[in-house]
Amino acid sequence: MTAAVILTEIHPACHKTNTVPHILQELEPYFQEKILISNQPSLYLPFVKNQARILVPFYKGADPLSSLHTSLSLAVSDEVWLLHESKGFSGIHTFKEMKKTKEYFQTQGILYQEESKTCFTNSLFDKSVLSVLQKQLSENNKDTAKFLRQINYVFFHEQKKKSL
């Protein structure tokens, strides 16, 4: 089972909490476990209610590693798919393709690559990376490249459909 995890980023001038209920509604048919990671959970509580668990990252200032650590530590599911409120739900087809790729290559993670830019949004990781994360974050090391060098992962490039 996979948990869908929505990462948030509050900017005082730009409140985007209204996108989260829409994303949760889209996720509902596909994911039993939904988690929202936020440094300001009280802003989301009125919108989220009981649709998802709201968690605060353990390690401050260490995102995205801290958010990944928190979600993997507290998820009931064996793996998490990271989404971001500003990018929305990319669709179940993307998740299913990533899941197939992860199973085919038997990796600990699938790192999403968007236009030659690597990001944790839309990436899929299993709990086997948790010990690496815990050790690195406890040493106050926020280097995502170091984390990635220590785990087994592959890149996922979503194929753009060509119009006829």
Side-chain angles (χ1 to χ4, degrees):
M1 189 165 75
T2 305
V5 177
I6 303 169
L7 306 177
T8 65
E9 200 171 307
I10 295 293
H11 298 288
C14 179
H15 243 271
K16 291 195 175 185
T17 56
N18 60 347
T19 62
V20 171
H22 179 70
I23 297 169
L24 288 170
Q25 185 177 9
E26 288 186 79
L27 293 170
E28 185 61 36
Y30 310 110
F31 296 91
Q32 287 183 326
E33 186 176 17
K34 293 168 290 302
I35 298 170
L36 184 78
I37 304 287
S38 175
N39 284 320
Q40 296 178 309
S42 61
L43 292 177
Y44 290 91
L45 196 54
F47 300 101
V48 173
K49 298 181 180 145
N50 63 352
Q51 293 175 291
R53 286 189 296 150
I54 302 174
L55 304 175
V56 177
F58 295 152
Y59 297 96
K60 303 295 182 212
D63 276 334
L65 295 180
S66 182
S67 291
L68 177 60
H69 175 267
T70 300
S71 58
L72 285 170
S73 295
L74 299 174
V76 174
S77 301
D78 294 329
E79 60 187 9
V80 296
W81 186 37
L82 300 176
L83 303 167
H84 197 285
E85 72 176 328
S86 67
K87 296 189 179 190
F89 178 44
S90 56
I92 196 64
H93 66 281
T94 301
F95 169 73
K96 286 181 177 179
E97 287 299 315
M98 292 181 78
K99 186 95 167 140
K100 285 180 197 174
T101 304
K102 186 176 179 295
E103 289 170 3
Y104 178 80
F105 288 104
Q106 297 181 349
T107 66
Q108 295 174 297
I110 299 288
L111 203 59
Y112 190 80
Q113 196 159 33
E114 181 179 284
E115 298 176 14
S116 74
K117 190 171 78 175
T118 302
C119 60
F120 275 29
T121 302
N122 279 329
S123 295
L124 181 67
F125 293 96
D126 65 43
K127 285 194 176 196
S128 66
V129 303
L130 197 51
S131 60
V132 172
L133 271 173
Q134 178 63 44
K135 183 175 189 272
Q136 186 172 327
L137 289 170
S138 67
E139 295 169 353
N140 200 27
N141 188 328
K142 304 166 191 169
D143 184 3
T144 55
K146 179 181 179 183
F147 165 68
L148 293 173
R149 285 192 302 272
Q150 297 178 72
I151 67 167
N152 177 14
Y153 71 95
V154 295
F155 286 108
F156 179 83
H157 308 273
E158 187 167 21
Q159 301 296 317
K160 304 266 185 205
K161 294 193 168 104
K162 295 180 182 177
S163 58
L164 299 174

